[in-house]
Amino acid sequence: MPLHRTESAGGYAPTSRAGTNSRRNRPTSSSASSKAPPEEQEQGAAPARRALDRFTGPVEGEGGEDRHELVVTHNFLVAWLVRDAMRAPAWRRLGLNHANAALTVIRYAPGRPATVLPANDMRHLPADLRWTGFPPELHI
């Protein structure tokens, strides 16, 4: 499978200004707030909208073939995509934290809601590399 780089999978902070996923027309919370300056909020909004368009929802016109994509990205975008899959308001991404190199799988099947399968899965990592970036009291 070819490798593609895209700004949509980059290291930016999605914000409530990112709006809705056009394929699913989901509203964002108008009460969502962010402590980021307005210019930083706007900077993350456009790629966040593109990420929803690019990485979510069933794919039409693929001839019935399953498609699997690996998106290597940062915690902020993973939280944004999980939040969208759970149909949660935009501000809800703020409490979703993922460990370094953790795996999250979201399944999009035609005619069904998105399903978050494993989330923040670190079983593939040696014990000493799990939960990096989290305080010891949160290690499982």
Side-chain angles (χ1 to χ4, degrees):
M1 178 164 276
L3 173 66
H4 300 279
R5 286 186 154 211
T6 175
E7 176 190 358
S8 300
Y12 58 89
T15 68
S16 57
R17 292 183 184 201
T20 62
N21 180 339
S22 59
R23 282 194 261 171
R24 285 188 242 138
N25 197 26
R26 293 195 186 133
T28 58
S29 171
S30 60
S31 64
S33 64
S34 174
K35 302 221 187 283
E39 61 276 358
E40 192 174 310
Q41 289 183 39
E42 192 55 42
Q43 184 180 15
R49 282 190 296 270
R50 288 191 298 272
L52 289 176
D53 288 341
R54 172 68 176 87
F55 303 125
T56 67
V59 178
E60 296 182 23
E62 294 288 326
E65 295 287 323
D66 286 346
R67 185 173 97 186
H68 302 87
E69 290 192 65
L70 173 65
V71 180
V72 179
T73 189
H74 300 272
N75 175 59
F76 295 133
L77 184 57
V78 175
W80 183 248
L81 296 175
V82 167
R83 177 229 38 100
D84 183 72
M86 303 295 287
R87 297 180 183 214
W91 62 266
R92 191 59 188 93
R93 77 197 181 283
L94 298 172
L96 299 173
N97 297 305
H98 297 83
N100 295 334
L103 301 175
T104 296
V105 176
I106 305 172
R107 182 171 190 250
Y108 298 96
R112 304 180 96 183
T115 304
V116 179
L117 299 170
N120 202 31
D121 185 347
M122 295 172 275
R123 291 177 292 174
H124 63 285
L125 297 171
D128 62 326
L129 293 180
R130 295 179 191 170
W131 294 103
T132 56
F134 284 77
E137 64 269 16
L138 294 180
H139 295 196
I140 299 175

